[in-house]
Amino acid sequence: MFGAHVGAFMGGQLRIENTELFRTGQAANLGRYSSHWHVLSSGRNVDVMDIAYLRNNSYHDTFQRAVVVHSTDYATVMHNVAYHVRGHMFFTETGQEHYALFEHNLAVEPLPHHLLLDDDETPAGFWLPGFTGWHRSNLAVNCHRGWRVRKLEGVASEQTDLTFFNNSAHACGFGWHLKPPHAPPTMNTFQTFTAFRCATGMFYPKRRVASRRGPPPPPGAAQQSPGKLQGWSVRWGAPNGAVTTPCGESAAIRGHCTVLGLGSLSEDVSGDGGLQGPKTVR
């Protein structure tokens, strides 16, 4: 489990596109990932699309991750495919990263990695240390967790620039998984998240109140397309010290998709395994 690794370190530039990477990375050798930005210049904002990008690449059968963004601003990760990668696939490391763009990436069936983080044994397609980065139109398939948000102490807990738009998780254990409990200091917006045939659509622990705004789901929604949760617009944060819980707008529940922690809203859809969680709803 010892292969090539590609990285830009301490101010270097990393640009890779139209490349196949397989049997890459070095298991248990920290920092030796298939592709890796490591502590590049912070606050960089000039010609960023031509400085830091990984585009149109494929990663498969790798020994340690696919893409790692570490303390690098404005990294661009677009149109990549990862399959049978050991450990978390698309990984944002510490929370010191700002405005990393993950767009139109496909993460399929990551494999357990027993020599990195403890949760690498149940790997995610996309791993975040807090509410940071731009995630748009990505798809996670057959992952233990489509998106894993594991809040790290320090800078990561203060991040509040996450944009989450038009992402999907298919056949995952959890479509979206947040643990330990955390709410960023300002609102973050989630729009159009689809969890299809996931055991649990969205999970977050120990939240007290949830609300659904907008028109109710269409009649009979629970009998359509088993396991699909779509149309969510979720605002996540703590405005003016209010209760730090998400709220869904114009939610539609399709089939046997379970969402934990969002309140007892299943009466709106009368479907088996719709929305499950605390009984307090406003």
Side-chain angles (χ1 to χ4, degrees):
M1 300 177 67
F2 189 91
H5 69 94
V6 179
F9 301 89
M10 304 299 183
Q13 297 181 5
L14 177 61
R15 299 188 294 269
I16 303 175
E17 58 185 332
N18 304 318
T19 301
E20 179 186 14
L21 296 93
F22 66 100
R23 299 179 64 83
T24 53
Q26 299 173 4
N29 192 356
L30 294 180
R32 300 301 183 253
Y33 309 116
S34 298
S35 53
H36 180 201
W37 282 290
H38 181 81
V39 193
L40 303 194
S41 301
S42 61
R44 182 182 59 212
N45 57 16
V46 178
D47 297 327
V48 294
M49 292 296 289
D50 294 325
I51 288 180
Y53 62 74
L54 296 169
R55 301 189 300 223
N56 305 309
N57 302 304
S58 65
Y59 300 82
H60 65 91
D61 301 291
T62 74
F63 302 135
Q64 190 154 275
R65 310 220 191 285
V67 175
V68 174
V69 181
H70 180 193
S71 297
T72 298
D73 295 343
Y74 298 101
T76 298
V77 183
M78 298 177 64
H79 307 296
N80 300 287
V81 176
Y83 172 72
H84 273 195
V85 167
R86 291 194 177 274
H88 305 304
M89 289 179 157
F90 296 95
F91 189 86
T92 305
E93 189 161 336
T94 65
Q96 295 176 324
E97 306 78 16
H98 295 85
Y99 313 116
L101 172 62
F102 293 84
E103 187 171 35
H104 288 121
N105 299 291
L106 173 62
V108 182
E109 199 170 352
L111 303 176
H113 195 311
H114 306 295
L115 302 173
L116 289 174
L117 302 177
D118 54 359
D119 61 5
D120 273 295
E121 296 189 6
T122 53
F126 300 84
W127 193 96
L128 296 168
F131 283 69
T132 180
W134 299 332
H135 285 243
R136 303 172 181 165
S137 302
N138 300 289
L139 173 60
V141 178
N142 203 20
C143 304
H144 290 277
R145 303 174 179 93
W147 275 261
R148 168 75 159 107
V149 181
R150 179 178 178 174
K151 187 262 297 183
L152 302 181
E153 296 299 330
V155 175
S157 64
E158 301 170 0
Q159 283 277 31
T160 185
D161 66 351
L162 176 64
T163 296
F164 197 81
F165 175 74
N166 197 35
N167 296 293
S168 300
H170 290 196
C172 295
F174 295 87
W176 163 274
H177 189 271
L178 167 65
K179 193 176 181 181
H182 174 58
T186 62
M187 285 293 186
N188 292 248
T189 300
F190 290 43
Q191 292 180 312
T192 316
F193 176 62
T194 299
F196 181 77
R197 295 191 182 278
C198 294
T200 299
M202 297 183 73
F203 174 85
Y204 69 101
K206 298 181 181 178
R207 292 293 178 248
R208 293 180 289 164
V209 178
S211 66
R212 176 184 54 74
R213 299 178 180 177
Q223 283 72 47
Q224 304 174 28
S225 303
K228 189 172 185 180
L229 166 65
Q230 68 176 13
W232 280 92
S233 176
V234 177
R235 299 170 68 240
W236 208 312
N240 303 319
V243 176
T244 54
T245 59
C247 62
E249 298 182 359
S250 302
I253 307 303
R254 303 293 178 87
H256 304 287
C257 182
T258 300
V259 180
L260 301 180
L262 290 181
S264 179
L265 300 180
S266 57
E267 68 249 23
D268 291 330
V269 296
S270 65
D272 180 19
L275 285 168
Q276 299 181 1
K279 299 302 181 183
T280 304
V281 181
R282 67 178 184 185

